[in-house]
Amino acid sequence: MSKKFLSVLLVFITACSLISCNGILRTSDSSKEVTLTIMGKKSDLEKNYINSIFEQYQKATGNKLKIISVDDVDFETTASQKFAEGDAPDILMHFHNADLNRFDISNNFYYLNGESWVDDLTDSARAYCQDKEGNLLGLPFWESSVSGCYYNKTLLDSFGMKPASTQAEFDVLCQVLAEIGYTPICWPANGCTWMFQFGLDPIFADQPDLLEQLNRNEITYSDIPAVTDMVTWIFNAAKKGWFGADYLKYGWSDISTELSSGKAVMTFIWDTWFYTDFTADGQYSLEDFALMPVFMDTADHGTYEGGNLNMMMANKNSKHLDTVLEFLSFCATPENYNTAFDGISTVNCFKGQNTNIQSPMVTAARGSIDANERVSTAATRIIGYNAEDVSAAFDSLFRDKTDIAGCIKLMDDYRMEEARKQGAEGFLTIE
């Protein structure tokens, strides 16, 4: 066998070894310093465990990370445009929700099925990140939390009040708190959009036939009385002052101030927020809060939402794909993720996770959670659902630019338009 033939064969074997199960030729960056671009929502990129893993990686490898932080309200549009224009980041941080349908997933993202760390994922984390064909879309590097109504138990105890267990009790609680000069619910309407899905979840989680009909475009929100009930309750709560006088001005950065000062008694959020974002710069701290269900007139005994996970997704067309996959492997290494999640309240995403903690608020409410928790449904399973669109419809309602029926029509119009953009079956294409 000639030396020339051996050389050619060696090159061929080496090239073949770099071809992944996705049919992508993976070239190595190991001999040079590389800068990877990571795009995510501003509020997501501010998490301390995210900053920890980024710092660990740069220190350990000498590679650089260019962080592209996008305002939450603009993220979905900006990110999808970047991919459409061929200016996509190496890594996109995204939840496996309805907004992911904005992207051409199979052509833009690398399936991670064969990566060495996959078996270390918990069953629930792995299932969350898979598409319907079983392809792993991203590395779940996030906290798994319990969303509900977190309330100042110290204040309620001082008033001789108890947490609510029914919608009627919750309404009375809000009314009394407002009458004695407190903001019952901190509702950050300026840029925060997650609250609405908590009310919608029971409607579609409890009646999956409604979800199927909605997603086949056979019915609309306007045809579902429970949606009208929810919109009516939220509108009336705002008008009664249950959200406070400045709820349209308050956003993400105001929640801590409102709660720690005691001005607001409750908010609809998740437990890990108290460990990653809550700043106890007022009279009240983490130990003063407890958990009860969310009430928006769609479930008489209230509801909790199970955790959603932010995924690190690999751009399959990145010129640094090999380094991207090495970065994900670094994040999925027990020593590294345990350093990042040390002291964070979260359910495990990795089997080897052992430095995280479980929130006492969640532990104390476990019986109520077990009875009333629902899987995240609205944001993840309604075709065309977009949290910013829902918030925009409610903003028109809050500002008296439309009425309750008009708000629901806007929700439908936005949802159906997004479904059409995504090419969802059953929705007419606009010529």
Side-chain angles (χ1 to χ4, degrees):
M1 189 178 295
S2 69
K3 291 182 179 180
K4 181 177 180 180
F5 178 79
L6 285 173
S7 297
V8 172
L9 181 62
L10 180 60
V11 170
F12 175 76
I13 292 173
T14 301
C16 288
S17 69
L18 294 173
I19 297 178
S20 72
C21 59
N22 284 28
I24 304 296
L25 185 63
R26 290 166 54 174
T27 58
S28 177
D29 290 314
S30 59
S31 62
K32 57 184 179 180
E33 180 183 291
V34 177
T35 297
L36 296 178
T37 54
I38 301 178
M39 176 180 285
K41 289 183 179 180
K42 182 178 184 294
S43 62
D44 293 345
L45 292 167
E46 291 172 348
K47 304 296 185 186
N48 51 12
Y49 51 85
I50 293 295
N51 284 300
S52 173
I53 200 66
F54 288 173
E55 291 169 5
Q56 288 183 67
Y57 174 77
Q58 293 180 103
K59 183 177 179 180
T61 66
N63 289 336
K64 304 298 182 184
L65 299 176
K66 180 181 178 182
I67 308 304
I68 305 171
S69 176
V70 183
D71 287 341
D72 291 17
V73 70
D74 299 320
F75 175 75
E76 300 298 345
T77 300
T78 299
S80 57
Q81 286 177 345
K82 288 289 186 182
F83 275 86
E85 295 167 358
D87 188 26
D90 298 306
I91 298 167
L92 180 71
M93 292 179 59
H94 203 288
F95 290 86
H96 192 187
N97 57 27
D99 281 319
L100 194 57
N101 292 320
R102 293 169 178 252
F103 302 84
D104 185 350
I105 297 174
S106 62
N107 286 322
N108 283 322
F109 298 107
Y110 180 87
Y111 295 147
L112 300 166
N113 308 339
E115 297 304 297
S116 60
W117 43 263
V118 171
D119 288 341
D120 189 36
L121 295 178
T122 62
D123 291 343
S124 58
R126 183 172 180 172
Y128 178 88
C129 298
Q130 290 177 324
D131 63 15
K132 62 183 179 181
E133 285 80 30
N135 295 308
L136 189 65
L137 302 179
L139 170 70
F141 200 90
W142 202 243
E143 78 266 16
S144 185
S145 54
V146 177
S147 295
C149 178
Y150 287 83
Y151 67 95
N152 189 322
K153 63 181 179 181
T154 302
L155 271 176
L156 288 194
D157 287 346
S158 71
F159 302 145
M161 298 179 183
K162 295 181 179 179
S165 59
T166 66
Q167 182 70 55
E169 291 176 359
F170 187 75
D171 290 349
V172 170
L173 180 62
C174 289
Q175 186 63 41
V176 173
L177 288 171
E179 288 175 355
I180 62 177
Y182 288 84
T183 297
I185 305 166
C186 177
W187 185 283
N190 184 13
C192 296
T193 60
W194 64 80
M195 299 83 73
F196 308 102
Q197 69 196 54
F198 300 157
L200 290 170
D201 279 349
I203 299 172
F204 298 102
D206 295 356
Q207 301 181 77
D209 57 318
L210 287 182
L211 179 64
E212 292 179 7
Q213 289 177 283
L214 190 74
N215 283 341
R216 290 196 299 263
N217 203 23
E218 295 173 354
I219 61 172
T220 66
Y221 288 142
S222 299
D223 299 317
I224 304 173
V227 174
T228 299
D229 292 342
M230 185 194 84
V231 176
T232 302
W233 185 89
I234 293 173
F235 176 71
N236 288 338
K239 293 304 179 184
K240 291 174 182 176
W242 292 0
F243 300 160
D246 296 317
Y247 74 100
L248 290 174
K249 299 177 183 177
Y250 287 160
W252 176 262
S253 61
D254 298 297
I255 307 174
S256 278
T257 301
E258 289 292 288
L259 293 181
S260 65
S261 68
K263 180 180 178 181
V265 180
M266 301 179 282
T267 197
F268 298 159
I269 208 160
W270 44 94
D271 59 303
T272 51
W273 175 85
F274 283 90
Y275 295 86
T276 59
D277 296 273
F278 180 55
T279 303
D281 52 6
Q283 182 178 351
Y284 300 98
S285 61
L286 168 64
E287 290 72 23
D288 293 299
F289 290 86
L291 172 62
M292 64 174 153
V294 166
F295 294 94
M296 292 192 207
D297 207 22
T298 58
D300 187 55
H301 292 283
T303 187
Y304 302 92
E305 185 185 71
N308 294 305
L309 301 174
N310 208 334
M311 305 181 296
M312 294 181 177
M313 304 179 69
N315 177 358
K316 70 187 295 182
N317 302 307
S318 167
K319 63 181 179 180
H320 300 305
L321 179 58
D322 198 57
T323 305
V324 169
L325 299 177
E326 290 170 359
F327 168 77
L328 297 184
S329 293
F330 181 92
C331 295
T333 299
E335 178 182 359
N336 302 330
Y337 62 63
N338 276 319
T339 297
F341 284 99
D342 188 17
I344 300 296
S345 173
T346 176
V347 176
N348 287 16
C349 287
F350 302 96
K351 295 174 183 176
Q353 213 164 342
N354 55 32
T355 58
N356 53 301
I357 61 175
Q358 180 64 68
S359 166
M361 296 179 287
V362 171
T363 302
R366 179 47 61 188
S368 176
I369 295 169
D370 290 343
N372 300 296
E373 185 178 33
R374 293 165 174 87
V375 67
S376 177
T377 303
T380 61
R381 301 183 183 182
I382 294 176
I383 294 175
Y385 185 91
N386 176 267
E388 285 72 28
D389 286 345
V390 176
S391 181
F394 271 92
D395 187 72
S396 292
L397 178 63
F398 291 149
R399 299 180 188 277
D400 296 318
K401 295 179 180 179
T402 190
D403 57 11
I404 290 170
C407 175
I408 298 171
K409 184 178 185 303
L410 284 173
M411 290 168 60
D412 273 324
D413 289 346
Y414 292 147
R415 176 183 56 83
M416 290 188 286
E417 175 62 19
E418 181 58 35
R420 281 190 282 264
K421 289 179 181 178
Q422 295 172 11
E425 186 176 352
F427 291 83
L428 297 176
T429 302
I430 297 177
E431 299 295 337

